[in-house]
């Protein structure tokens, strides 16, 4: 296919953070404003958090567990909720913090013409160019994962002069480090109160506590001079000028005191800068390009439609908001999602948090944490299918840390084996429930859901060596679930206490509560985890006795139930919802991202999912960016392309000007960016084009008619396949499947097809209405509609 350039571009500098353009290498990031008289780059480093290692386990919690369960089974829900909030919750988590800013203050002040600011997704570079009084100025910025520095290259046709300053909203000082280098050194607070807590003193420092950090910048000029004075750099020259930045912190693990390593960041920054300076700008750029494009170029997407790339990106977003169709903007959104994932989650870094790695607030929304009742999982839904499996690795490292902290919580809080975690997690791998409403604070199902990502990595790769390494975390999370289940009044095994994240119900006697037993989401996650562990234990030939426990427990879980409105019940009992249009649609996790309910195998439950979704939307649901994005995937699984397309457009129309997802909530007045909407929306687009679950690969299962012509290359399917497709007038014209593992392919298409290998027809097996054929590892199979033979 003809590859279109993937570029976000604008005709003026950013005035606000939500207009600036992101760069990052997974660990070190920046937001580029592109100013002409003053350039600002807002900086972040992924281990820059408040706090220090601490024990948040609350001893004595277990003493209240049986009482709470008795209250719930006696239908005293409000009393149970009060007891949980008073006696079974813990401390606030810590916050992800901004590193600071680098500012370039230019002496030249002239008439600005020919301005363009762009993010080139194909190269992973932000560029700015303009003329000032007719003189051309250019600059480009990238952050190298290969060499761990940010590079800023400036070029002018005439003489230029500017000052470079560093500052931070945290406790810091700036000093001269050498004849062409300055250093900003600082320390993080030992505690920052969440932005939801009203207090006059939200940021708390103490001597000898907190993470230390360092930011260093050095300047190089080919024709000019660099002077350092008073903690700032003065640069004058012609031609090209290069600024190199490095950043590091004293964080060395969730259980290590960062204050003990206060000088380490300075030495690390010096080494990175010395190595980068020796390489030189062009070599740095070449190494960055090779590393970045090796990931970004694995997939490409063309959704057809009118080419509107000649319009600035913010104007295209505005046009969609006014009702315009722009399929190519949806394709650009997909490409941007790849860029954001590569830029915020790389091997050896922290996982992408609520804002990836980009945050400008000391009290960021919801601490910019890892929020596990939906948002963290969303961040990684596209990792495997979009062929970026390496970007998934930081999440697996987070899980390993939670195995340590979460095993203590499981034992002391609940008397259970294995490990668990709750709704909010910070850098210190806090696994306890935080304080607040149990509707969100009390949710010990994070382990069960996070382990789905371990299983998915195996399902897409078929890498048994990885499964061997991942199995202990899965097994221990499933052991917790075994012990957490108790016998309910009807003899079934249920979770108790149980919440459906952030939602509340109205009991028949008028009680309003979030706490009950056997919320549908709990049971779906446990059912999925037990199933994965059973399959893994068989593949690895491990734990036959434990496998028997999982199998027996599965038979005793309550079934999915259909309620009074024909909906899939959110709770074990058919309560009325306190907020029928709630943003969370937690019970439909069984439809997506899990595959416990499918159109082919559970048609009645599928229709109940449809009724639940329609009821939510009719009452104002999907009003936040991430919830809107999730809705795209629900409609895709339901086989409803027009409904899915409507929510793709709603998601695009609600973006910030820089295409970052906007979290829009009627109760929240501040502008908020949450990266989960970018990633879940990207995943939703793939669900419309390719689905692979329950052993079936579905080609173009819910293609919107507005995307009537297009192509996609490099998507991954479970069972170890890579898929390319082309289509015209809404119909598949050609597809190829590359088999990595030699598994049987069970193919679902809307059209009869034949399969060829090196020009020869491949014998097909009988699998009902599906197309089945055996594959050989390393072979590429052509899928051709029969009417094209």
């Amino acid at each position: 296919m003809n590859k279109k350039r993937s570029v976000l571009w604008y005709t003026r500098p950013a005035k606000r953070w939500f207009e600036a353009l992101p760069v990052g290498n997974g660990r070190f990031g920046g937001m580029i404003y592109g100013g002409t008289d003053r350039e600002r780059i807002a900086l972040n480093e992924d281990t820059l958090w408040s706090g220090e290692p601490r024990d948040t386990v609350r001893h004595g919690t277990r003493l209240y567990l049986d009482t709470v369960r008795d209250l719930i089974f006696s239908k005293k829900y409000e009393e149970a909720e009060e007891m949980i909030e008073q006696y079974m919750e813990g401390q606030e988590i810590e916050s992800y913090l901004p590193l600071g800013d680098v500012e370039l203050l230019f002496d030249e002040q002239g008439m600005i013409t020919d301005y363009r600011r762009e993010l080139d997704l194909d190269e992973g570079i932000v560029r700015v160019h303009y003329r000032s009084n007719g003189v051309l100025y250019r600059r480009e910025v990238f952050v190298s994962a290969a060499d761990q520095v940010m590079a800023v290259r400036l070029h002018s046709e005439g003489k230029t002069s500017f000052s470079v300053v560093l500052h931070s909203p945290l406790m810091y000082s700036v000093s001269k480090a050498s004849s062409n280098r300055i250093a900003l050194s600082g320390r993080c607070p030992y505690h920052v109160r969440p932005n939801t807590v009203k207090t006059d003193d939200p940021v708390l420092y103490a001597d000898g506590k907190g993470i230390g950090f360092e930011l260093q910048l050095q300047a190089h000029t080919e024709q000019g001079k660099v002077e350092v004075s008073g903690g700032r750099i003065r640069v004058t020259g012609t031609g090209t000028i290069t600024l190199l930045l490095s950043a590091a912190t004293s964080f060395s693990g969730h259980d290590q005191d960062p204050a003990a390593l206060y000088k380490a960041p300075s030495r690390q920054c010096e080494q990175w800068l010395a190595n980068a300076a020796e390489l030189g700008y062009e070599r740095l750029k070449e190494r960055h390009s090779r590393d970045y494009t090796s990931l970004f170029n694995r997939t490409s997407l063309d959704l057809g439609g009118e080419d509107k790339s000649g319009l600035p990106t913010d104007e295209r977003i505005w046009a969609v908001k006014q009702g315009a169709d722009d399929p190519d903007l949806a394709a650009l959104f997909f490409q941007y999602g790849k860029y954001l994932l590569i830029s915020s989650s790389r091997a050896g870094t922290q996982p992408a948090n609520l804002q990836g790695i980009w945050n400008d607030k000391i009290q960021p929304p919801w601490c910019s944490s890892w929020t596990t009742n939906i948002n963290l999982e969303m961040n990684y839904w596209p990792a495997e299918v979009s062929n970026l499996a390496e970007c998934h690795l930081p999440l697996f490292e987070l899980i390993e840390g939670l195995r340590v902290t979460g095993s203590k919580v499981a034992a002391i809080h609940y008397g259970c084996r294995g490990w668990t975690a709750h709704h909010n997690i910070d850098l210190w791998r806090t696994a306890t429930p935080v304080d607040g409403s149990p509707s969100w604070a009390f949710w010990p199902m994070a382990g069960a859901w996070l382990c789905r990502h371990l299983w998915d990595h195996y399902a897409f790769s078929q890498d048994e060596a990885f499964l061997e390494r991942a199995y202990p975390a899965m097994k221990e999370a499933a052991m917790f679930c075994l012990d957490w289940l108790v016998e309910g009044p009807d003899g079934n095994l249920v979770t108790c206490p149980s919440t459906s994240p952030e939602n509340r119900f109205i009991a028949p006697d008028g009680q309003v509560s979030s706490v009950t037993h056997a919320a549908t989401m709990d049971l779906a996650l446990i059912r999925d985890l037990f199933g994965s562990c059973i399959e893994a234990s068989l593949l690895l030939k491990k734990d036959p006795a434990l496998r028997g426990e999982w199998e027996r427990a599965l038979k005793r879980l309550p079934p999915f139930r259909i309620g009074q409105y024909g909906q899939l019940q959110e709770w074990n009992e058919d309560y009325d919802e306190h907020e029928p249009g709630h943003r969370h649609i937690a019970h439909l996790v069984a439809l997506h991202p899990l595959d416990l309910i499918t159109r082919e195998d559970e048609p009645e439950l599928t229709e109940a999912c449809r009724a639940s979704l329609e009821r939510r939307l009719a009452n104002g649901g999907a009003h936040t960016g991430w919830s809107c994005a999730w809705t795209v995937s629900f409609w895709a699984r339901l086989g409803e392309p027009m409904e899915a397309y409507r929510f793709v457009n709603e998601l695009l129309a609600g973006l910030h000007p820089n295409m970052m997802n906007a979290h829009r909530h009627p109760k929240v007045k501040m502008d908020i960016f949450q990266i989960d909407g970018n990633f879940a929306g990207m995943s939703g687009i793939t669900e419309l084009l390719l689905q692979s679950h329950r052993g079936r690969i579905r080609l173009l299962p819910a293609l919107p008619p507005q995307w009537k012509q297009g192509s996609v290359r490099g998507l991954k399917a479970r069972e170890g396949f890579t898929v390319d497709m082309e289509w015209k007038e809404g119909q598949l014209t050609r597809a190829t499947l590359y088999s990595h593992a030699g598994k049987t392919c069970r193919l679902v298409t809307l059209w009869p097809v034949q399969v060829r290998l090196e020009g020869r027809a491949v014998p097909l097996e009988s699998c009902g209405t599906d197309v089945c054929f055996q594959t050989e590892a390393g072979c590429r199979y052509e899928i051709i509609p029969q009417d094209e033979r």
Side-chain angles (χ1 to χ4, degrees), residues 62-80:
R62 187 178 169 187
L63 299 175
Y64 298 92
L65 183 56
D66 287 342
T67 302
V68 166
R69 284 171 169 164
D70 288 342
L71 288 170
I72 289 170
F73 290 141
S74 300
K75 302 186 184 299
K76 298 177 180 178
Y77 308 116
E78 291 178 339
E79 287 184 49

Side-chain angles (χ1 to χ4, degrees), residues 493-568:
L493 291 178
V494 299
T495 54
C496 184
S498 176
T499 61
S500 189
E502 307 192 28
N503 205 358
R504 307 177 80 195
F505 60 86
I506 305 172
D509 62 0
Q511 292 181 83
V512 177
S513 179
S514 63
V515 174
T516 181
H517 69 273
T520 299
M521 186 187 200
D522 283 6
L523 300 177
L525 293 174
I526 291 173
R527 194 180 298 276
D528 181 72
L529 178 61
F530 285 178
S532 298
C533 285
I534 289 167
E535 192 169 344
S537 70
L538 287 167
L539 285 166
L540 300 174
K541 300 180 173 58
K542 293 178 181 288
D543 299 318
L546 193 54
R547 182 166 66 245
E549 287 189 63
W550 292 325
E551 289 170 341
R552 289 189 292 274
L554 273 174
K555 294 176 181 176
R556 295 187 60 193
L557 294 178
F560 293 113
R561 305 181 194 276
I562 297 175
Q564 59 187 305
Y565 304 106
Q567 87 285 10
L568 187 74

Side-chain angles (χ1 to χ4, degrees), residues 569-585:
Q569 287 183 195
E570 188 164 356
W571 295 275
N572 195 46
E573 297 184 40
D574 194 11
Y575 305 122
D576 279 329
E577 299 140 305
H578 183 255
E579 189 180 342
H582 198 270
R583 62 195 175 278
H584 282 259
I585 318 177

Side-chain angles (χ1 to χ4, degrees), residues 424-720:
N424 272 339
I425 295 165
D426 59 18
L427 182 70
W428 311 106
R429 305 319 189 231
T430 302
T432 44
V434 296
D435 61 338
S437 167
S439 66
W440 51 268
F442 193 88
W443 188 76
M445 288 289 106
W449 202 353
L450 289 174
C451 282
R452 171 69 184 198
H453 288 264
L454 297 172
W455 179 250
D456 258 352
H457 186 74
Y458 165 73
F460 278 91
S461 67
Q462 298 295 295
D463 182 351
E464 286 197 18
F466 169 81
L467 185 60
E468 183 88 37
R469 297 191 300 272
Y471 176 69
M474 295 171 58
K475 165 184 165 180
E476 292 162 19
M479 288 167 63
F480 169 79
C481 291
L482 277 174
D483 293 354
W484 181 242
L485 291 166
V486 294
E487 187 171 292
D490 58 2
N492 286 321
L493 291 178
V494 299
T495 54
C496 184
S498 176
T499 61
S500 189
E502 307 192 28
N503 205 358
R504 307 177 80 195
F505 60 86
I506 305 172
D509 62 0
Q511 292 181 83
V512 177
S513 179
S514 63
V515 174
T516 181
H517 69 273
T520 299
M521 186 187 200
D522 283 6
L523 300 177
L525 293 174
I526 291 173
R527 194 180 298 276
D528 181 72
L529 178 61
F530 285 178
S532 298
C533 285
I534 289 167
E535 192 169 344
S537 70
L538 287 167
L539 285 166
L540 300 174
K541 300 180 173 58
K542 293 178 181 288
D543 299 318
L546 193 54
R547 182 166 66 245
E549 287 189 63
W550 292 325
E551 289 170 341
R552 289 189 292 274
L554 273 174
K555 294 176 181 176
R556 295 187 60 193
L557 294 178
F560 293 113
R561 305 181 194 276
I562 297 175
Q564 59 187 305
Y565 304 106
Q567 87 285 10
L568 187 74
Q569 287 183 195
E570 188 164 356
W571 295 275
N572 195 46
E573 297 184 40
D574 194 11
Y575 305 122
D576 279 329
E577 299 140 305
H578 183 255
E579 189 180 342
H582 198 270
R583 62 195 175 278
H584 282 259
I585 318 177
H587 50 309
L588 297 195
V589 70
L591 176 69
H592 178 275
L594 309 183
D595 58 1
L596 299 175
I597 297 174
T598 66
R599 283 184 286 157
E600 293 88 351
D601 300 327
E602 290 83 19
E604 187 177 8
L605 289 174
T606 299
E607 288 307 304
C609 289
R610 182 192 302 273
S612 286
L613 184 59
E614 289 174 344
R615 179 171 165 78
R616 269 293 201 277
L617 298 177
N619 286 280
H623 49 265
T624 63
W626 63 262
S627 184
C628 178
W630 198 4
T631 300
V632 174
S633 288
F634 287 143
W635 285 123
R637 289 282 175 99
L638 291 169
E640 295 287 355
M642 287 298 293
E643 291 295 329
Y645 183 77
R646 177 163 70 92
F647 284 92
V648 168
N649 270 7
E650 286 199 17
L651 185 64
L652 296 176
L655 295 173
H656 289 300
N658 59 9
M659 284 195 84
M660 285 177 160
N661 168 64
H663 178 89
R664 306 195 189 280
H665 189 288
K667 297 179 182 177
V668 179
K669 302 304 180 186
M670 64 190 297
D671 278 335
I672 293 175
F673 155 56
Q674 276 191 205
I675 206 166
D676 44 27
N678 287 95
F679 293 143
M682 174 187 174
S683 178
I685 289 170
T686 67
E687 287 283 336
L688 296 170
L689 304 175
L690 177 69
Q691 296 174 20
S692 63
H693 45 270
R694 288 276 189 96
R696 299 181 178 101
I697 297 176
R698 298 163 175 82
L699 304 182
L700 304 181
L703 182 70
Q706 292 85 351
W707 301 349
K708 61 183 178 181
Q709 180 169 322
S711 56
V712 66
R713 177 181 57 82
L715 295 184
K716 296 296 289 290
R718 292 174 179 86
E719 306 297 328

